[in-house]
Amino acid sequence: MHLKHINNSFKTFILFAQFIAILKPSYINRFGVSMRTIKRSRLKAPSVNTTKTELAFCLLSATVLLTACGEQIKSESTPASPKAKSAKNTLINTDEFNIKAMVKLPQTVECTLENGLQTQCAQVVLKYQPDNIEVGPFCPETLDDVGGIWDWDGTDAGLYRLDKAFLTMLNEQGFTFYDEDGNVHIVDNATIRPTVDHACINVSVDKSVEITALLPLHPVMSDQSTALGTVSKVGIALAGVPIFSDAPSVQHTGHLPALDTCAGHIDPGGWYHYHGTASDIDSVYKHEHVNVNCNNLAQKPSALFGYGFDGYPIYGSQEIDGTSPTELDSCNGHTGPVGESGIVTYHYHASNTFPNLPKCLKGVVAQNNFTTTAQAGVGAKPPEGTKISRHEPPGGAPKAGGPNGGMSPPGFAEAANKLGVSEEVLMQAMQKAGGPNADLTVVAKALNVKLEQLKAALPEKPKR
């Protein structure tokens, strides 16, 4: 028997001895055992003149001891109930999540997937940002300062550090983010409306925010992958930080929601989130020759970064043995062994270009999988009676009905209405055709409308 079996059985023996003592205290006294010595587990040897009663007591105690051992072993070898077994047999190990990011410990809850399947989910409740993570810098205060990063999608597209060279380049293209004295226009657009055409966005935090996310414990492949548009919900990082796809384009909104060097920033609701695989973002910087490093998350290209909202793992750009993954699908995932366990399952990999995230989700996500107590932003459901002091950024916030919670640029709702399609369909067509610089001929064909009709319906790009 294992030591724990003996310990548990001995407890049973002690309880039985106590019971006998109540019936016949002399039995205990003859053994030279007091209640205090029983509690200390210091049994004395019985006297030579053992009576039949004492012998019977010994035999009965031994029987209890052996029976308890047998029951203990039986209980551990008996298969768990189907429900208990299913709760353990999962890809998600909630113990891996950053405890410093949690409002409370993760729980297993009943949930419903978007295809109607009843299943179980890991429910994680997060703080506005982890206690052990420092965020920023975001916007540089002047042209002489250095801020975070930005993935520019206009002329000379690429990943840049937010510094004088980048901002003056944008100025030459008609996007002026600073005044004559070189001071950068910085706005907290969750509390103040920008008064300039182009501002660098640096949102303030709301420390009261709590985030509740649901991750399927038993992932289910979808019949069709889910496209990830602008600010689509991707998953939750082990660091305890939500993960979202592309940030809004400057060419759509006119403003620049700066990312820090770990590809994160603050949502209008006041909470921090990533727009890249932050645990392997330095590989992107190396590939794109950007002289910067992530400052709030350890870098390891083969490490598990987090889980998608479909329950599948998201890894860095390398396998556990340091090799590059092969046979990746359109979502940048494949089926194969993961981590040190070697379990074979579907999983995603980061790329070495920005944003280094899955391009789509292959699995089915849970209904109502992301809500916050925030006053604004993605998943906002403030408690009843909350005095609203924050608002959505100009142009609107992510729509619940968009592609997995994606954000629509200003005027796209009206454009979709004119074209007779849903906002989600219009956004997906634009994304597939190139995003901000989409080939409108391709978009028109996908929507089955005339090119002239599409051009007339789409809103003009922000002033330059």
Side-chain angles (χ1 to χ4, degrees), residues 257-275:
L259 302 175
D260 65 16
T261 58
C262 294
H265 65 182
I266 311 297
D267 181 83
W271 43 271
Y272 182 75
H273 59 278
Y274 290 131
H275 281 283

Side-chain angles (χ1 to χ4, degrees), residues 157-170:
L159 189 65
Y160 290 88
R161 192 74 191 270
L162 291 177
D163 57 15
K164 184 176 182 177
F166 174 65
L167 293 175
T168 53
M169 183 193 80
L170 293 191

Side-chain angles (χ1 to χ4, degrees), residues 83-321:
K83 185 172 182 179
K85 184 177 180 181
S86 65
K88 294 179 181 178
N89 185 25
T90 173
L91 295 177
I92 298 177
N93 180 4
T94 54
D95 292 340
E96 296 175 316
F97 284 103
N98 177 17
I99 192 68
K100 296 291 187 179
M102 301 291 170
V103 174
K104 59 183 180 180
L105 293 177
Q107 295 179 309
T108 296
V109 299
E110 302 299 319
C111 61
T112 304
L113 301 186
E114 288 194 341
N115 63 0
L117 179 66
Q118 301 291 318
T119 185
Q120 292 176 312
C121 287
Q123 182 188 73
V124 291
V125 183
L126 307 171
K127 301 175 183 179
Y128 75 101
Q129 75 182 46
D131 294 339
N132 55 351
I133 283 184
E134 294 184 7
V135 305
F138 302 107
C139 302
E141 293 186 6
T142 71
L143 290 180
D144 295 327
D145 298 318
V146 179
I149 62 166
W150 189 252
D151 187 36
W152 174 241
D153 55 358
T155 304
D156 297 322
L159 189 65
Y160 290 88
R161 192 74 191 270
L162 291 177
D163 57 15
K164 184 176 182 177
F166 174 65
L167 293 175
T168 53
M169 183 193 80
L170 293 191
N171 181 59
E172 293 170 358
Q173 296 185 33
F175 294 89
T176 302
F177 284 87
Y178 52 90
D179 61 21
E180 296 178 352
D181 297 324
N183 298 309
V184 176
H185 302 306
I186 300 176
V187 176
D188 178 355
N189 71 341
T191 58
I192 302 172
R193 294 297 188 189
T195 58
V196 293
D197 291 335
H198 308 297
C200 189
I201 304 302
N202 192 357
V203 180
S204 58
V205 299
D206 181 349
K207 296 183 179 181
S208 69
V209 170
E210 293 184 4
I211 302 163
T212 302
L214 297 176
L215 303 171
L217 287 172
H218 317 291
V220 176
M221 278 289 180
S222 176
D223 294 334
Q224 185 176 2
S225 60
T226 302
L228 296 174
T230 305
V231 197
S232 292
K233 297 177 291 184
V234 177
I236 302 294
L238 295 186
V241 176
I243 312 164
F244 288 82
S245 59
D246 280 349
S249 168
V250 173
Q251 297 189 84
H252 279 166
T253 67
H255 306 297
L256 193 157
L259 302 175
D260 65 16
T261 58
C262 294
H265 65 182
I266 311 297
D267 181 83
W271 43 271
Y272 182 75
H273 59 278
Y274 290 131
H275 281 283
T277 303
S279 60
D280 191 24
I281 195 70
D282 283 4
S283 294
V284 176
Y285 297 145
K286 182 178 179 180
H287 180 264
E288 301 200 14
H289 306 290
V290 179
N291 186 23
V292 65
N293 299 101
C294 174
N295 63 358
N296 72 23
L297 202 61
Q299 298 296 290
K300 188 176 181 180
S302 62
L304 173 65
F305 173 54
Y307 296 94
F309 275 109
D310 57 2
Y312 288 112
I314 303 172
Y315 282 83
S317 58
Q318 296 179 4
E319 301 285 10
I320 190 67
D321 60 3

